[in-house]
Every structure is written in structure tokens, then in C-alpha cells.
Amino acid sequence: MLLTYLLARGGAEVTLLESRHDFARRFRGDTLAPGVLEYLDTLGRADALLADVPHTRTDAFRWHTATRTWTLVDYRGASARFPFYALLPQAEFLPWLADRARAHGATVHMGARFSALRHDDSGRVSGVAYTVDAAQHEIDAALVVGADGRNSKVRQVSGLAATELGASLDILWHALPRRDDDPSYSGLDLFGTPHGSLALLDQGTDWQLGWTIRAGSLAEVRARGVDALRDAAVGALAWLDGRLDDLGDVSDLTLLPVRITTIERWTRPGLVLLGDAAHVVSPVGGNGINLALADAADLANRLVGPLRRTPPDPRQLDVAAAGLESARRPGVEREQRAQVRTERAAAERI
Ligand SMILES: Cc1cc2nc3c(=O)[nH]c(=O)nc-3n(C[C@H](O)[C@H](O)[C@H](O)COP(=O)(O)OP(=O)(O)OC[C@H]3O[C@@H](n4cnc5c(N)ncnc54)[C@H](O)[C@@H]3O)c2cc1C
């Protein structure tokens, strides 16, 4: 969506196909980093976003044990203007961005599900096929951008091989309505439990609770029952006593099967992947959304010039796409390797 906004703002003709009919979604990457807020500020959009969209702010990521609290990351020095992470729900952020993209002339087509790539005689990707309410449609494109997330259909049909780097954890999420007399925390907190950890994110009207479990161990967790999870949470945070009684079963929680995935290349002629479609990351560090937004910003800078030519030169578009991968891939893979190590160490405690 950010790329759609940036390209439309730069004067390009751009169409976004979104399979869902709305942006209602929960438990996604909602944590906008100081650097991303600074970037939005250079576009003149950060203040408006923070004024328009309800969010919370956290100045540190903290780890708590029964006896001590450690500040793992302090965001106060990260930016003079935005010394915090903004916890800003995607369900609010995406429609906000879509409105601004449309205002610059972008077509945001909701309920339009990508189904296949189309190719020209040279084999270059030249457009896509998509469905709306079971009806087939096609659209030509000078460049197709696959930004369709961790289970990317674009990646699947492009034949680009994906490799799992080995996530060690999964997370079970739950939203707990907040009460006025609840204690306050930094907003991004992790509490040690006897067999893992409990994440506590301040989402304003709700607390977002997350139990880490070993990757692939949902069946075992189910067999142990929801009481074990409840006891672990209350053991870490006594004020939760009585607050989780509505949880009848482990299936009342939302599973995030964590994945850390890399793909052989982010591009083919006429095609580029970005965000989770190119690199699924762990929620460790809360940067899935920030990496995707940084990809979009980088690619937009490279594409706006070439897309102003009529018609755009395919070679210039492919050079721009390759530039994104060269610039962004090393940093993303460094972060993924660090996540693999962090998750392994955490999983040993479970
Ligand atoms: C279920 C789920 C839970 C997550 N939980 C967390 C979390 O707890 N913490 C965290 O840090 N990160 C989480 N993430 C990851 C985080 O949300 C992403 O890293 C971030 O949103 C950036 O992703 P993106 O824009 O590349 O993809 P996404 O945000 O996944 O966006 C992809 C978009 O493409 C659309 N789409 C998919 N298929 C098609 C198709 N065939 N045609 C058209 N449109 C399509 C989707 O509806 C979606 O709107 C989660 C992701 C998912 C999918």
C-alpha cells in the first residue's frame, strides 16, 4: 500500500489488487519504528498519521523476570522527532494510506484476488490475471510487484524457490480488554515464565498477550490445556488472575506460526517481490512491517523516474527492481540470521 501511495504521488499510473474486501485484521505487525516515522515525516505525513490514527507509543522494549527488569532496546535515542515505536493497528493504518493513495489517482481494487502472471513473447512478465467474485479479469503492467505477504501466490507462480531458515517458536495471541486500574508498562514487554515467555503489547483499549511456544508444538499445548497457559500468565503477572477465565480452550487463541523465509531471488524480468513475499521474518524485534515499508520506500525512489517515461523502458524497470534487492537483501538476511539465533536460544528455555 505504501508503494502504491508513493508511486501515485510520483505521477505513475498504479493499480493495487487486494484480495480482501476490507482491511479488518488483528495480531499483525503493528509496530512502526522511529526510522519509518521519520521517513513518513519527510513525505509530510507522519504528524497527520499520528494525529488521525489511534495508537500507543513505547519508548523501550523490556524483559522482565520475577526479580529484575532489563531494557533490551531503548528507542529514546533513535530519533529526535520520534523517540518511540508507534503501535498502530494495520486495520487503521492501511485504509488511511489507501485513502491518500486514491487521492493521488491510484486504483485500489478491493476483493480482487491475484491468480496468475501473464507473459509476453519474450517471457517477460507483462501483467496479471485476477478474480473478482469468481469472474476472471486481466490487466497489463509495465512492472508487477508481488506484495502479497507470507503465503505469496505471486511468489508461488513465479517459481522462485523459498527456503525456510528455521523458526524455533510459534506464538499464541489473545486480546484482553484493558481496565483503567491496570498497571502500566513500556508497551512492548516480555515476561519470563517457567517454560517460555509472555509478550504484553499495549494496544490502547486492549492488551495483546502472546504466549511463545516451541515451533510446531500446538498439539502438545492443546493436550496440556488452556489452564497451563493461564497459570503461566498469572504466574508472571498476578493482576491477570481472574482476567483470563473466558478462555475456554487453546483454540480461542490465535496461532502465529512463525516463519523465517528467504527466496532465491526477488526479481524476474517484469516482476519484483517485496515485504513478506520476498522475506518472511519472525516477530522478534517487531520489524516485519518496518522491513516491508522500507522495501516500498526504496523501490518507489528507484521507480518514479523510469515510470514517468511513456512508455516506460522495461530495462530501466528491471534495473530498478534489481537495485532494490541489492540494496535491501543483505540487511534483511542479517536480521533473519539474528532472529534464528535469538529464537533458538529462547526455545531452549521452553
Ligand atoms: C496472519 C499473520 C499474522 C502476523 N502476525 C504478526 C505479528 O504478530 N507480529 C509481527 O511483527 N508481524 C506479524 N505478521 C507479519 C506482518 O504483519 C508483516 O510482516 C507486515 O504486515 C508486512 O507485510 P506485507 O505488506 O509484505 O504483507 P501483508 O501485510 O501480509 O500484506 C499482504 C496483502 O496481500 C493481500 N493478498 C494476499 N494474497 C493475495 C492475492 N492472491 N491477491 C491479492 N491480494 C492478496 C493480503 O490480503 C494482504 O492485505 C503477521 C502476518 C500474518 C499474515
Side-chain angles (χ1 to χ4, degrees), residues 36-66:
V36 163
L37 295 170
E38 281 191 344
Y39 172 71
L40 294 174
D41 199 35
T42 64
L43 304 173
R45 289 298 185 186
D47 287 335
L49 174 69
L50 295 175
D52 293 349
V53 180
H55 65 280
T56 56
R57 299 176 182 198
T58 172
D59 59 13
F61 175 35
R62 298 215 165 88
W63 164 253
H64 309 260
T65 64

Side-chain angles (χ1 to χ4, degrees), residues 3-333:
L3 180 64
T4 303
Y5 165 71
L6 293 170
L7 293 181
R9 177 181 156 130
E13 188 186 336
V14 51
T15 298
L16 180 137
L17 304 178
E18 166 55 56
S19 58
R20 303 274 307 265
H21 288 275
D22 59 40
F23 293 110
R25 53 192 72 193
R26 289 190 100 169
F27 307 133
R28 299 297 172 92
D30 294 338
T31 42
L32 295 189
V36 163
L37 295 170
E38 281 191 344
Y39 172 71
L40 294 174
D41 199 35
T42 64
L43 304 173
R45 289 298 185 186
D47 287 335
L49 174 69
L50 295 175
D52 293 349
V53 180
H55 65 280
T56 56
R57 299 176 182 198
T58 172
D59 59 13
F61 175 35
R62 298 215 165 88
W63 164 253
H64 309 260
T65 64
T67 53
R68 243 191 103 173
T69 291
W70 283 269
T71 297
L72 300 182
V73 193
D74 188 332
Y75 308 123
R76 285 171 300 181
S79 159
R81 285 263 291 131
F82 306 100
F84 54 84
Y85 259 61
L87 273 75
L88 198 139
Q90 286 197 16
E92 313 282 344
F93 179 42
L94 291 173
W96 185 91
L97 213 43
D99 285 348
R100 276 136 197 91
R102 286 191 186 101
H104 283 290
T107 301
V108 177
H109 200 149
M110 303 300 291
R113 178 173 292 277
F114 163 87
S115 56
L117 293 169
R118 295 169 57 227
H119 299 84
D120 65 16
D121 292 343
S122 72
R124 179 186 168 80
V125 172
S126 61
V128 302
Y130 64 99
T131 54
V132 179
D133 298 331
Q136 289 280 351
H137 301 267
E138 291 184 345
I139 186 169
D140 292 333
L143 183 72
V144 172
V145 180
D148 52 341
R150 51 169 29 207
N151 300 314
S152 172
K153 174 85 174 174
V154 178
R155 183 181 68 217
Q156 287 165 30
V157 300
S158 70
L160 291 167
T163 305
E164 297 298 330
L165 297 181
S168 308
L169 303 174
D170 290 337
I171 304 185
L172 290 165
W173 289 119
H174 175 62
L176 176 74
R178 190 189 182 119
R179 291 185 188 160
D180 289 345
D181 57 349
D182 283 345
S184 58
Y185 297 94
S186 86
L188 272 179
D189 296 88
L190 211 50
F191 296 84
T193 63
H195 301 292
S197 61
L198 178 76
L200 185 77
L201 278 63
D202 182 351
Q203 295 279 21
T205 52
D206 286 341
W207 294 109
Q208 184 177 336
L209 292 172
W211 287 262
T212 52
I213 62 173
R214 261 186 305 104
S217 69
L218 183 63
E220 286 168 43
V221 172
R222 274 214 180 99
R224 280 201 294 274
V226 77
D227 284 345
L229 296 174
R230 208 175 357 238
D231 291 349
V234 173
L237 294 168
W239 57 272
L240 287 176
D241 196 12
R243 299 282 293 279
L244 299 170
D245 293 349
D246 288 352
L247 280 180
D249 190 81
V250 173
S251 58
D252 292 341
L253 304 169
T254 301
L255 175 72
L256 172 66
V258 174
R259 280 168 40 200
I260 307 174
T261 313
T262 184
I263 61 170
E264 55 172 319
R265 293 208 332 259
W266 295 9
T267 64
R268 288 224 185 275
L271 172 71
V272 58
L273 304 183
L274 57 70
D276 281 14
H279 46 74
V280 187
V281 296
S282 154
V284 167
N287 275 332
I289 187 166
N290 295 305
L291 294 175
L293 293 174
D295 287 353
D298 181 290
L299 185 61
N301 283 340
R302 295 171 194 278
L303 283 178
V304 162
L307 285 175
R308 282 208 185 107
R309 285 179 57 144
T310 314
D313 178 347
R315 281 164 309 179
Q316 286 189 354
L317 300 179
D318 289 346
V319 166
L324 169 78
E325 179 168 2
S326 308
R328 301 271 315 138
R329 186 173 183 129
V332 169
E333 292 192 342

